[in-house]
Amino acid sequence: YIADSDWNQYQPFVELELHPFDGLTVTPGFKYIDWSRNIDGEPEQKTKPKIDFQGSSTTTRDLPFVMANYKIEPSWSIYAQYAQGIYVPDISSYEQATPTFQYPKAETTTNYQAGTVYYADNFTFDADVSSIGVDNNITTANCSTIGGPSGDTCYFNTGTAFYKGVEAEGTYAFNDDVLGGALNGLAVFLNGSLMSAKSGGLWLKNAPNWTMAQGLIYKQGIFKLSLVDK
């Protein structure tokens, strides 16, 4: 296996924090990404005759974003976020045992999220809803799906995809007022989410429709113990 590859990227960005009135913070920004990859080698060693592959690609993208956070009370805030995103295919998308020159375009996203955060002396809670639209969604399948040889895995674009979900988490830390301080140093937490991830009406591979985590965390002096289930 003889193959040299390298990549170069730069991501200049600017961000501004605004306070239109007391309690509200608005943070707009802009990022520009330029990502170049070069490959020079013989990745198809098993092919007779050997196929030399030399190629380069450059991906550019404008990525605006903005976030607004409003403090309803000192311990309670709500927020909303918008951002453009990008996923440039990694080197594995170029590595097949059989030659192919059809590689996926960069995956781009439009992301929205809104939520709330609350904290008190012993209790914290947060919840959010999110929505992510994807263009040039990348997945893997048998190469014969895109007209290539069967028996090998290729990366390709499936068009658009859509993710959405809701998530919540809470943590409670016990103090000296509970059971005479017997539980001091103990915290319990619970996290859960419900999600949808589809492309063309079909569920996306490896995408869960729900997650859950719960656990106990205990700290006393120099010792810390945790029991977590996910």
Side-chain angles (χ1 to χ4, degrees), residues 108-125:
T108 58
T109 63
T110 302
N111 314 276
Y112 300 93
Q113 181 170 306
T116 183
V117 178
Y118 174 82
Y119 68 92
D121 291 338
N122 301 86
F123 178 71
T124 63
F125 172 80

Side-chain angles (χ1 to χ4, degrees), residues 109-219:
T109 63
T110 302
N111 314 276
Y112 300 93
Q113 181 170 306
T116 183
V117 178
Y118 174 82
Y119 68 92
D121 291 338
N122 301 86
F123 178 71
T124 63
F125 172 80
D126 64 84
D128 65 80
V129 294
S130 61
S131 171
I132 303 174
V134 180
D135 288 323
N136 302 323
N137 183 65
I138 297 175
T139 190
T140 58
N142 193 292
C143 289
S144 60
T145 306
I146 57 174
S150 61
D152 198 6
T153 299
C154 284
Y155 290 70
F156 67 100
N157 299 112
T158 63
T160 59
F162 190 68
Y163 296 80
K164 57 184 177 180
V166 57
E167 180 184 19
E169 179 174 282
T171 302
Y172 183 83
F174 294 91
N175 59 20
D176 296 335
D177 297 332
V178 180
L179 297 178
L183 298 180
N184 193 29
L186 177 66
V188 297
F189 78 90
L190 176 66
N191 171 280
S193 66
L194 296 173
M195 293 174 286
S196 172
K198 295 183 179 182
S199 176
L202 301 177
W203 201 270
L204 292 170
K205 291 196 290 186
N206 302 320
N209 60 4
W210 65 272
T211 68
M212 179 171 286
Q214 54 271 322
L216 306 172
I217 301 173
Y218 181 73
K219 185 176 182 181

Side-chain angles (χ1 to χ4, degrees), residues 7-227:
W7 56 266
N8 294 282
Q9 63 168 307
Y10 62 92
Q11 301 183 28
F13 76 96
V14 60
E15 183 178 289
L16 182 64
E17 185 174 292
L18 306 173
H19 300 273
F21 53 84
D22 193 34
L24 177 63
T25 302
V26 180
T27 310
F30 178 85
K31 176 187 285 188
Y32 175 80
I33 181 171
D34 184 293
W35 187 306
S36 298
R37 173 181 287 128
N38 299 286
I39 301 176
D40 183 2
E42 301 178 75
E44 320 298 354
Q45 295 277 332
K46 295 181 181 180
T47 305
K48 295 182 179 181
K50 294 179 181 179
I51 304 292
D52 291 341
F53 176 69
Q54 295 179 333
S56 63
S57 63
T58 300
T59 301
T60 62
R61 180 76 173 177
D62 297 331
L63 301 175
F65 60 90
V66 63
M67 181 177 72
N69 185 295
Y70 178 66
K71 279 195 172 185
I72 301 174
E73 297 179 359
S75 61
W76 182 24
S77 65
I78 56 175
Y79 67 89
Q81 298 172 314
Y82 160 83
Q84 292 284 320
I86 188 171
Y87 166 61
V88 180
D90 57 43
I91 192 65
S92 60
S93 64
Y94 292 80
E95 298 174 331
Q96 283 86 234
T98 45
T100 181
F101 295 96
Q102 184 172 342
Y103 302 108
K105 298 179 181 178
E107 187 176 280
T108 58
T109 63
T110 302
N111 314 276
Y112 300 93
Q113 181 170 306
T116 183
V117 178
Y118 174 82
Y119 68 92
D121 291 338
N122 301 86
F123 178 71
T124 63
F125 172 80
D126 64 84
D128 65 80
V129 294
S130 61
S131 171
I132 303 174
V134 180
D135 288 323
N136 302 323
N137 183 65
I138 297 175
T139 190
T140 58
N142 193 292
C143 289
S144 60
T145 306
I146 57 174
S150 61
D152 198 6
T153 299
C154 284
Y155 290 70
F156 67 100
N157 299 112
T158 63
T160 59
F162 190 68
Y163 296 80
K164 57 184 177 180
V166 57
E167 180 184 19
E169 179 174 282
T171 302
Y172 183 83
F174 294 91
N175 59 20
D176 296 335
D177 297 332
V178 180
L179 297 178
L183 298 180
N184 193 29
L186 177 66
V188 297
F189 78 90
L190 176 66
N191 171 280
S193 66
L194 296 173
M195 293 174 286
S196 172
K198 295 183 179 182
S199 176
L202 301 177
W203 201 270
L204 292 170
K205 291 196 290 186
N206 302 320
N209 60 4
W210 65 272
T211 68
M212 179 171 286
Q214 54 271 322
L216 306 172
I217 301 173
Y218 181 73
K219 185 176 182 181
Q220 195 65 255
I222 62 173
F223 296 99
K224 184 176 182 179
L225 174 70
S226 62
L227 177 64

